[in-house]
Amino acid sequence: MSMPRTIDEIDLQILHILQEKARIPNAEVSRQVGMAPSAVLERIRKLEEHGIIEGYEVRLNPVAFAQGLAAFLFIEVDPAGNGQLGERLSLVAGVQEVHQVAGPDGYLVKLRAADTGELGRILREEIQHFPGVRATRTQIVLNTVKETRRIDLDVQDEAEP
Amino acid sequence: MSMPRTIDEIDLQILHILQEKARIPNAEVSRQVGMAPSAVLERIRKLEEHGIIEGYEVRLNPVAFAQGLAAFLFIEVDPAGNGQLGERLSLVAGVQEVHQVAGPDGYLVKLRAADTGELGRILREEIQHFPGVRATRTQIVLNTVKETRRIDLDVQDEAEP
DNA sequence: CAATCAAGAGAATATTGTTCTGTTATTATG
DNA sequence: CATAATAACAGAACAATATTCTCTTGATTG
């Protein structure tokens, strides 16, 4: 039996194209990488099966949905930590990211709201009452220089998840 | 002259479908919202033209590209602020987000690296030498509970950008 | 009450997605 | 070694989709 092939140059080309514009037609990708559509399709399917491609997303303009304000919260937790806190935080309206972090211990939360009024309300009326929350530090985003999920496709090793 | 229509229920349905799975065929979207493909295509194009849809992205597994470690840096800046710092930070390998924040003033940076060794190297050999950097605080992500860019499509008002 | 325009249905056609088959190169395996 | 198994791909065939066009409708406006 032979191994299922690792990520090669052509895979990287395909992924690079998809990172630029994920809704591009398969036939167009084939043209750009110089292979038959069937071959490209097979590669993309394998990348999906192996969990290297996790999904495809549309990027929406937050301003158009009254979510123009971004903020990061650092939430310091009680020593007798509540295990459900992360889950509860992730359900709050506008919360896009919840990470458990070290140094110092706590949660880092990224959220979006319409304005500072709404942000304050969420903090005061929701998050600060969650059990396990000892203190919160809020950092409001004044200006976003970069915001992406792209991965540099040159420095890669491969490893199946 | 009549106005170019605001975001309505059908637009929200379409955007919701695309947020789930952006590479879904147009014809399938039409079926799900009960409209002709031509009509859905026109709507999607307008959403793109108006900047409500900003683009389509593939989501890759960071582990497959030796970017399994995530960290947030808070970078405190010199009072005599250097205007280029944000740009420089955004060019560092692995950096996915750079936000200028208030309270206290500085930059919040999200970056990915293979491991703590590489992270340390980036901090020591690159970021800490950038002019304008006074101090950095590093928070390493132990566990990510949620990480998305989706927007809740129910609480929306509409507003063209 | 036309004239104008946005919005969409439906048909026509260009293009693409997907499956299938055959070929080649590579790798196990007896 | 020989040969069986497998991965990877091209190319063709067909199914499905994307896209354009035309026509209709309903709303708005001068």
Side-chain angles (χ1 to χ4, degrees):
Chain A
M1 209 217 298
S2 74
M3 284 301 294
R5 195 176 51 66
T6 58
I7 298 177
D8 66 10
E9 270 305 317
I10 293 176
D11 289 320
L12 291 179
Q13 280 186 54
I14 292 171
L15 294 175
H16 185 78
I17 293 166
L18 292 179
Q19 281 203 138
E20 296 292 330
K21 189 164 177 298
R23 253 174 97 78
I24 196 172
N26 218 342
E28 179 58 28
V29 179
S30 337
R31 253 173 256 125
Q32 292 191 25
V33 303
M35 291 182 77
S38 53
V40 172
L41 186 67
E42 200 180 331
R43 278 174 179 264
I44 291 179
R45 286 209 176 132
K46 275 180 187 151
L47 291 167
E48 289 169 354
E49 279 166 18
H50 296 168
I52 291 163
I53 290 177
E54 295 182 341
Y56 305 90
E57 285 183 352
V58 63
R59 192 160 14 96
L60 301 182
N61 182 344
V63 176
F65 300 93
Q67 300 269 92
L69 182 78
F72 288 89
L73 315 177
F74 177 70
I75 299 181
E76 199 181 325
V77 300
D78 278 342
N82 184 322
Q84 327 292 9
L85 182 53
E87 298 296 335
R88 284 198 72 177
L89 289 169
S90 69
L91 296 176
V92 172
V95 167
Q96 292 189 324
E97 303 189 21
V98 177
H99 307 272
Q100 205 172 353
V101 293
D105 244 54
Y107 287 97
L108 195 77
V109 175
K110 179 179 176 184
L111 69 77
R112 293 194 163 275
D115 49 42
T116 51
E118 190 190 332
L119 174 62
R121 193 197 55 71
I122 292 169
L123 277 170
R124 266 181 285 107
E125 298 181 11
E126 300 198 55
I127 293 176
Q128 287 183 346
H129 298 138
F130 286 177
V133 172
R134 168 180 286 192
T136 69
R137 179 156 29 90
T138 304
Q139 295 191 310
I140 292 181
V141 172
L142 301 176
N143 181 257
T144 293
V145 182
K146 181 179 192 176
E147 185 175 31
T148 184
R149 295 182 63 159
R150 283 190 205 179
I151 288 176
D152 299 347
L153 293 179
D154 300 322
V155 206
Q156 90 302 338
D157 308 33
E158 80 295 320
E160 319 275 291
Chain B
M1 210 214 299
S2 74
M3 284 302 295
R5 196 175 51 64
T6 58
I7 299 176
D8 66 11
E9 270 306 316
I10 293 177
D11 289 319
L12 291 179
Q13 279 185 56
I14 293 171
L15 294 175
H16 185 78
I17 292 167
L18 291 179
Q19 282 203 138
E20 296 292 329
K21 189 165 177 295
R23 254 174 95 80
I24 196 172
N26 217 342
E28 178 60 28
V29 180
S30 338
R31 252 173 256 121
Q32 291 190 27
V33 303
M35 290 181 80
S38 53
V40 172
L41 187 66
E42 199 180 331
R43 277 172 178 265
I44 290 179
R45 286 208 176 134
K46 276 183 185 149
L47 290 167
E48 288 168 355
E49 279 166 18
H50 295 167
I52 292 163
I53 290 177
E54 294 182 342
Y56 305 91
E57 285 183 354
V58 63
R59 193 162 11 99
L60 301 181
N61 182 343
V63 176
F65 300 93
Q67 300 268 93
L69 182 76
F72 288 87
L73 315 177
F74 176 70
I75 299 181
E76 199 180 324
V77 301
D78 278 340
N82 184 324
Q84 327 292 9
L85 183 52
E87 298 295 335
R88 284 198 74 177
L89 289 169
S90 68
L91 296 176
V92 172
V95 168
Q96 292 188 326
E97 303 189 21
V98 178
H99 306 273
Q100 205 173 353
V101 293
D105 243 54
Y107 287 96
L108 195 77
V109 175
K110 178 178 177 184
L111 68 78
R112 294 195 163 274
D115 47 44
T116 51
E118 191 190 331
L119 174 62
R121 192 196 58 69
I122 291 170
L123 276 170
R124 265 182 286 106
E125 298 181 10
E126 301 198 56
I127 291 176
Q128 287 183 347
H129 298 138
F130 285 177
V133 172
R134 168 180 285 192
T136 68
R137 178 157 28 92
T138 304
Q139 296 192 309
I140 292 181
V141 172
L142 301 176
N143 180 258
T144 292
V145 182
K146 180 178 192 175
E147 185 175 29
T148 184
R149 293 182 63 162
R150 281 190 208 179
I151 289 177
D152 299 347
L153 293 179
D154 299 321
V155 205
Q156 91 303 335
D157 308 33
E158 82 295 322
E160 320 273 292

